[in-house]
Amino acid sequence: MQAKTSPVYQIFEQQHQDAKILFLALGKQIKSKKAIELQTKLEFLELFTDLMDKIHFEDQSLGSDLFLPFKTLKKSLRKTHHLKLVGRNLKARKAKSELGYDSYKDYLRAQKRKIHKEAFDLVVGSSLKTWDDFQQKAQLSSKGIKPLMINTAINQLVQEELEFLHHDLKAPLQSQGFRDLFESLRKIIMLENLLIQLGFNPIFVSSIHDEIGQLKENLKPWYSNHLAFQTLSGFLAEKDNISKKYMEWIKELKEEKISLSSEIEKQAFELLKKVLV
């Protein structure tokens, strides 16, 4: 008797199909919106392989190795997303100060061309066979998996993220710590939503789930500020003479980062106390 495919594969299959459509669209032209959408889809597909890896711990070819062909593309698409956030920051700054930042705008435009070319080359240089192979192997890895195995694997992955945060996040948080916190919260939310979608009981009570989601949302302004500060610093490092408007802007970004960091750090450690009880 042939083993049944797990319901989690049905969710994977839809996400995979959506991702493949976006991939084909980007093969014609790189658009930031579609690139960000594909990045989100790839994040779920990678999460699926993490889940399979936890279940098939004895055979990585049925787990995390499935996503290896897409890691470089995902990284490239993330750069597109980051640059989009930096562009929004520039737009907000121009509206607030009513000043022109033409040289910086030109710098970002050049960065965009470079990043989009990198993503486009990756898309057109790859084959649809990679996507088809991924789907076939994912289907194979999903066969014969019982509901309890999925439930257990998801809970293990969430616990691993919480333990990582508990052991690795130390006050005061550095920039890498904030990035790690954001990624862990994103993964935890996706895992719990997947758990609920599959018909299992949630890990956290609704109030804690809401707090986790709110902290992740609060991290977005910090992340945007961090990217803006990092990119503007790189731009100014190439200048011999820096005008007053740029000096004031970089100063304000630094002050804003300190303020955001302090508040998020407080929220993060208060939340960890609750979920690690």
Side-chain angles (χ1 to χ4, degrees), residues 192-247:
E192 186 168 45
N193 288 341
L194 178 59
L195 199 65
I196 295 169
Q197 194 173 353
L198 290 168
F200 298 113
N201 292 326
I203 297 170
F204 305 106
V205 296
S206 58
S207 60
I208 294 296
H209 182 80
D210 291 344
E211 278 192 57
I212 293 172
Q214 188 58 56
L215 178 56
K216 177 178 172 287
E217 287 302 305
N218 292 346
L219 270 160
K220 288 182 178 180
W222 179 92
Y223 216 119
S224 179
N225 168 279
H226 170 73
L227 292 169
F229 181 83
Q230 192 176 51
T231 307
L232 183 58
S233 296
F235 166 72
L236 296 179
E238 298 178 0
K239 299 292 182 183
D240 294 326
N241 297 305
I242 303 173
S243 63
K244 183 181 177 182
K245 64 182 179 183
Y246 285 113
M247 293 298 291

Side-chain angles (χ1 to χ4, degrees), residues 90-101 245 248:
L90 170 60
K91 188 176 181 180
R93 178 67 184 182
K94 288 173 69 176
K96 177 184 176 183
S97 65
E98 297 183 346
L99 296 172
Y101 296 88
K245 64 182 179 183
E248 289 178 347

Side-chain angles (χ1 to χ4, degrees), residues 158-204:
V158 170
Q159 190 59 39
E160 284 178 6
E161 291 300 321
L162 292 176
E163 288 175 359
F164 163 76
L165 293 176
H166 176 63
H167 292 296
D168 286 51
L169 287 190
K170 306 295 181 185
L173 288 179
Q174 303 301 313
S175 292
Q176 184 61 49
F178 284 101
R179 291 195 294 268
D180 290 343
L181 176 62
F182 182 84
E183 287 302 314
S184 285
L185 293 177
R186 179 186 63 78
K187 191 171 182 178
I188 288 170
I189 291 170
M190 288 175 66
L191 284 165
E192 186 168 45
N193 288 341
L194 178 59
L195 199 65
I196 295 169
Q197 194 173 353
L198 290 168
F200 298 113
N201 292 326
I203 297 170
F204 305 106

Side-chain angles (χ1 to χ4, degrees), residues 17-163:
Q17 182 179 343
D18 293 344
K20 190 174 175 181
I21 291 170
L22 289 165
F23 173 81
L24 289 170
L26 292 175
K28 298 175 182 176
Q29 184 181 10
I30 298 295
K31 293 285 189 178
S32 295
K33 183 179 179 181
K34 289 189 181 297
I36 293 168
E37 289 175 2
L38 179 55
Q39 178 201 340
T40 301
K41 297 295 180 183
L42 287 175
E43 285 171 348
F44 176 84
L45 298 180
E46 184 174 30
L47 185 76
F48 170 84
T49 62
D50 288 341
L51 182 61
M52 292 300 105
D53 192 61
K54 186 61 62 177
I55 294 170
H56 301 289
F57 57 89
E58 77 292 344
D59 187 356
Q60 286 188 323
S61 67
L62 294 176
S64 58
D65 282 0
L66 295 177
F67 193 75
L68 287 177
F70 301 93
K71 280 189 175 291
T72 304
L73 176 60
K74 180 192 160 197
K75 185 177 180 180
S76 180
L77 296 174
R78 179 174 288 184
K79 291 179 185 178
T80 299
H81 192 180
H82 286 177
L83 195 64
K84 184 76 171 178
L85 294 175
V86 172
R88 287 177 186 170
N89 186 275
L90 170 60
K91 188 176 181 180
R93 178 67 184 182
K94 288 173 69 176
K96 177 184 176 183
S97 65
E98 297 183 346
L99 296 172
Y101 296 88
D102 292 341
S103 58
Y104 184 55
K105 185 177 180 180
D106 290 341
Y107 173 81
L108 293 185
R109 190 179 291 116
Q111 292 292 311
K112 181 178 179 179
R113 284 197 297 268
K114 179 182 176 182
I115 290 171
H116 279 203
K117 183 181 184 302
E118 176 188 295
F120 185 75
D121 288 346
L122 284 171
V123 171
V124 299
S126 57
S127 168
L128 280 178
K129 186 177 184 301
T130 306
W131 288 87
D132 295 338
D133 288 347
F134 184 26
Q135 183 176 5
Q136 290 172 12
K137 291 175 183 177
Q139 185 178 30
L140 177 64
S141 68
S142 302
K143 287 186 176 180
I145 298 176
K146 296 180 180 179
L148 180 59
M149 295 168 69
I150 299 173
N151 192 350
T152 301
I154 292 176
N155 276 270
Q156 286 176 341
L157 287 172
V158 170
Q159 190 59 39
E160 284 178 6
E161 291 300 321
L162 292 176
E163 288 175 359

